[in-house]
Amino acid sequence: QKVFITCYRALIFPLLIREGKPTPFFTFVLALLFCIFNGYLQGRSLTTYATYPAGWLGDSRFITGFLGWLIGMAINIHSDHILRNLRKPGETGYKIPRGGMFEYVSGANFFGEILEWFGFALACCTIESIAFALCTLFILGSRARQHHK
């Protein structure tokens, strides 16, 4: 799960963006280091320390978490698609996104990603996955609030 979303965010999403503001190199390096550290932490936690009872994949916590992750990812990807296609080529200015979850929340892309990682945390039930979900909530929640204003 984590690998797919990281690949989407790091490799696929940037190639789909038509134009936009350049990302400062320092911001890129910090984001890269965070993703490497977090990926290591999540992977190490799940492969070395987490233990699950037999039948965990059929447990309601895992199934609910997996569905939350899947729905969150779908919302995130669809919202990114809407945002990428807000303006026609050469067009500038602010536009309010419409459609999908943007009909219910102004930061649908942020909402989708937050839902993804809380679903992941529920499916994994590790302190590391919960910590990441909370960090995602605080960081993206503040960005969503800023975008809403």
Side-chain angles (χ1 to χ4, degrees):
Q1 294 172 355
K2 181 89 175 126
V3 171
F4 175 78
I5 275 301
T6 300
C7 288
Y8 171 76
R9 267 286 166 230
L11 303 173
I12 298 169
F13 180 74
L15 296 174
L16 296 173
I17 298 173
R18 284 188 241 155
E19 12 181 303
K21 300 176 201 165
T23 301
F25 183 71
F26 185 68
T27 302
F28 166 77
V29 170
L30 286 177
L32 179 66
L33 290 174
F34 175 81
C35 288
I36 289 170
F37 174 74
N38 184 56
Y40 171 78
L41 183 68
Q42 300 300 326
R44 177 80 178 198
S45 165
L46 291 172
T47 59
T48 307
Y49 303 110
T51 57
Y52 299 100
W56 177 250
L57 299 180
D59 187 280
S60 61
R61 292 169 292 182
F62 178 81
I63 293 169
T64 303
F66 180 76
L67 288 174
W69 173 81
L70 196 61
I71 292 166
M73 182 178 62
I75 291 169
N76 192 4
I77 291 171
H78 184 250
S79 299
D80 284 345
H81 172 76
I82 290 171
L83 290 172
R84 279 193 315 273
N85 294 294
L86 271 178
R87 294 179 205 86
K88 294 180 175 96
E91 196 175 37
T92 60
Y94 182 78
K95 285 196 170 187
I96 296 174
R98 300 279 184 220
M101 284 299 293
F102 284 108
E103 297 301 318
Y104 305 99
V105 293
S106 58
N109 52 327
F110 300 126
F111 171 75
E113 191 155 347
I114 291 166
L115 179 58
E116 264 180 87
W117 298 121
F118 272 93
F120 177 78
L122 182 59
C124 296
C125 287
T126 64
I127 193 73
E128 293 83 3
S129 62
I130 293 166
F132 181 62
L134 289 171
C135 285
T136 301
L137 173 65
F138 295 135
I139 292 167
L140 294 186
S142 67
R143 287 185 64 198
R145 185 173 184 212
Q146 187 178 37
H147 280 241
H148 181 77
K149 287 181 180 182

